[in-house]
Amino acid sequence: MASRQCLVAVNRTIRAAGLEEDGVHAALIDMARNLARRVDKVGAEDAPLNLLRLYDSALTKLERAAAPKPVPRSGRGGGESEASESVEPTSPPSLAIVEEKPLDRIRRRKAEAAARATG
Protein backbone atom coordinates (compact mmCIF):
# COMPACT_ATOMS: atom_id res chain seq x y z
CA MET A 1 0.00 0.00 0.00
CA ALA A 2 1.27 3.46 -0.91
CA SER A 3 2.27 5.89 1.78
CA ARG A 4 0.04 8.90 2.48
CA GLN A 5 2.75 10.94 4.17
CA CYS A 6 2.62 13.94 1.80
CA LEU A 7 -1.18 14.09 1.76
CA VAL A 8 -1.28 14.01 5.55
CA ALA A 9 1.30 16.82 5.67
CA VAL A 10 -0.73 18.96 3.27
CA ASN A 11 -3.93 18.38 5.26
CA ARG A 12 -2.15 19.32 8.49
CA THR A 13 -0.86 22.51 6.89
CA ILE A 14 -4.34 23.43 5.67
CA ARG A 15 -5.91 22.70 9.05
CA ALA A 16 -3.21 24.58 10.99
CA ALA A 17 -3.53 27.59 8.71
CA GLY A 18 -7.29 27.67 9.04
CA LEU A 19 -7.78 27.77 5.28
CA GLU A 20 -11.28 26.98 4.08
CA GLU A 21 -11.68 24.32 1.42
CA ASP A 22 -14.47 26.24 -0.27
CA GLY A 23 -12.93 29.69 0.23
CA VAL A 24 -10.66 31.79 -1.93
CA HIS A 25 -7.84 29.23 -1.67
CA ALA A 26 -9.95 26.26 -2.83
CA ALA A 27 -8.03 25.80 -6.10
CA LEU A 28 -4.69 25.97 -4.32
CA ILE A 29 -5.79 23.43 -1.72
CA ASP A 30 -7.08 21.07 -4.42
CA MET A 31 -3.86 21.37 -6.42
CA ALA A 32 -1.69 20.76 -3.34
CA ARG A 33 -3.68 17.64 -2.41
CA ASN A 34 -3.53 16.26 -5.96
CA LEU A 35 0.24 16.79 -6.12
CA ALA A 36 0.64 15.17 -2.69
CA ARG A 37 -1.33 12.13 -3.87
CA ARG A 38 0.89 11.84 -6.96
CA VAL A 39 4.07 12.08 -4.88
CA ASP A 40 2.70 9.52 -2.42
CA LYS A 41 1.75 7.17 -5.26
CA VAL A 42 5.22 7.23 -6.81
CA GLY A 43 7.13 7.61 -3.57
CA ALA A 44 9.12 10.67 -2.59
CA GLU A 45 12.43 8.97 -3.39
CA ASP A 46 11.37 7.91 -6.90
CA ALA A 47 9.29 10.94 -7.87
CA PRO A 48 10.45 12.98 -10.86
CA LEU A 49 12.18 16.22 -9.97
CA ASN A 50 9.52 18.28 -11.77
CA LEU A 51 6.78 16.71 -9.62
CA LEU A 52 8.75 17.40 -6.45
CA ARG A 53 9.25 21.03 -7.49
CA LEU A 54 5.53 21.46 -8.16
CA TYR A 55 4.70 19.90 -4.79
CA ASP A 56 7.22 22.15 -3.01
CA SER A 57 5.82 25.20 -4.80
CA ALA A 58 2.28 24.29 -3.75
CA LEU A 59 3.39 23.94 -0.12
CA THR A 60 5.13 27.30 -0.29
CA LYS A 61 1.97 28.93 -1.65
CA LEU A 62 -0.08 27.33 1.12
CA GLU A 63 2.33 28.75 3.69
CA ARG A 64 2.07 32.19 2.12
CA ALA A 65 -1.72 31.97 2.14
CA ALA A 66 -1.57 31.06 5.82
CA ALA A 67 0.82 33.86 6.76
CA PRO A 68 -0.78 36.80 8.53
CA LYS A 69 -1.43 39.71 6.23
CA PRO A 70 0.33 42.98 7.11
CA VAL A 71 -1.96 45.57 8.62
CA PRO A 72 -2.15 48.64 6.37
CA ARG A 73 -0.86 51.75 8.04
CA SER A 74 -3.33 54.57 8.36
CA GLY A 75 -2.21 58.02 7.39
CA ARG A 76 1.27 59.34 7.65
CA GLY A 77 4.01 58.69 10.15
CA GLY A 78 4.09 60.47 13.50
CA GLY A 79 6.70 63.03 12.44
CA GLU A 80 4.58 64.79 9.85
CA SER A 81 1.97 67.39 10.61
CA GLU A 82 -1.63 67.50 9.50
CA ALA A 83 -0.96 70.56 7.34
CA SER A 84 1.60 68.78 5.18
CA GLU A 85 -0.91 66.10 4.25
CA SER A 86 -3.31 68.50 2.57
CA VAL A 87 -0.71 70.08 0.28
CA GLU A 88 -1.35 69.13 -3.30
CA PRO A 89 1.59 68.37 -5.57
CA THR A 90 2.73 71.19 -7.78
CA SER A 91 4.51 71.11 -11.06
CA PRO A 92 8.25 70.52 -10.90
CA PRO A 93 10.50 73.57 -11.01
CA SER A 94 11.75 74.61 -14.38
CA LEU A 95 15.22 73.34 -15.09
CA ALA A 96 17.81 75.26 -17.00
CA ILE A 97 21.30 74.23 -17.98
CA VAL A 98 23.76 76.75 -16.60
CA GLU A 99 27.36 76.57 -17.63
CA GLU A 100 29.88 78.78 -15.97
CA LYS A 101 32.59 80.06 -18.24
CA PRO A 102 36.15 79.32 -17.05
CA LEU A 103 37.03 83.02 -16.75
CA ASP A 104 33.85 83.71 -14.72
CA ARG A 105 34.69 80.75 -12.43
CA ILE A 106 38.20 82.13 -11.77
CA ARG A 107 36.77 85.57 -10.99
CA ARG A 108 34.12 84.06 -8.65
CA ARG A 109 36.74 82.00 -6.77
CA LYS A 110 39.03 85.05 -6.40
CA ALA A 111 36.13 87.10 -5.06
CA GLU A 112 35.20 84.33 -2.57
CA ALA A 113 38.82 84.04 -1.43
CA ALA A 114 39.07 87.83 -0.99
CA ALA A 115 35.83 87.88 1.00
CA ARG A 116 37.10 85.13 3.31
CA ALA A 117 40.45 86.88 3.79
CA THR A 118 38.83 90.19 4.78
CA GLY A 119 35.92 88.78 6.69
Side-chain angles (χ1 to χ4, degrees):
M1 182 172 170
S3 170
R4 294 175 38 126
Q5 183 179 2
C6 293
L7 183 59
V8 169
V10 167
N11 286 332
R12 283 183 184 160
T13 303
I14 293 167
R15 199 171 31 253
L19 299 175
E20 298 177 18
E21 295 180 31
D22 58 346
V24 293
H25 302 292
L28 176 60
I29 291 170
D30 188 44
M31 180 186 65
R33 284 182 175 155
N34 287 336
L35 288 169
R37 286 184 188 106
R38 288 177 62 189
V39 172
D40 284 339
K41 183 178 179 181
V42 176
E45 298 83 25
D46 299 326
L49 186 58
N50 190 32
L51 178 60
L52 292 175
R53 286 182 179 160
L54 289 171
Y55 173 69
D56 182 54
S57 176
L59 286 180
T60 302
K61 288 178 183 178
L62 278 176
E63 291 169 1
R64 285 184 191 153
K69 306 293 184 263
V71 178
R73 292 185 283 164
S74 60
R76 302 237 178 202
E80 297 183 20
S81 66
E82 293 283 329
S84 66
E85 291 181 10
S86 63
V87 175
E88 293 187 20
T90 60
S91 62
S94 61
L95 300 177
I97 298 175
V98 178
E99 292 185 24
E100 189 175 25
K101 295 179 182 175
L103 184 58
D104 292 337
R105 185 179 326 126
I106 293 171
R107 289 179 181 159
R108 179 181 51 83
R109 287 182 182 166
K110 281 186 177 180
E112 290 172 356
R116 278 192 298 252
T118 60

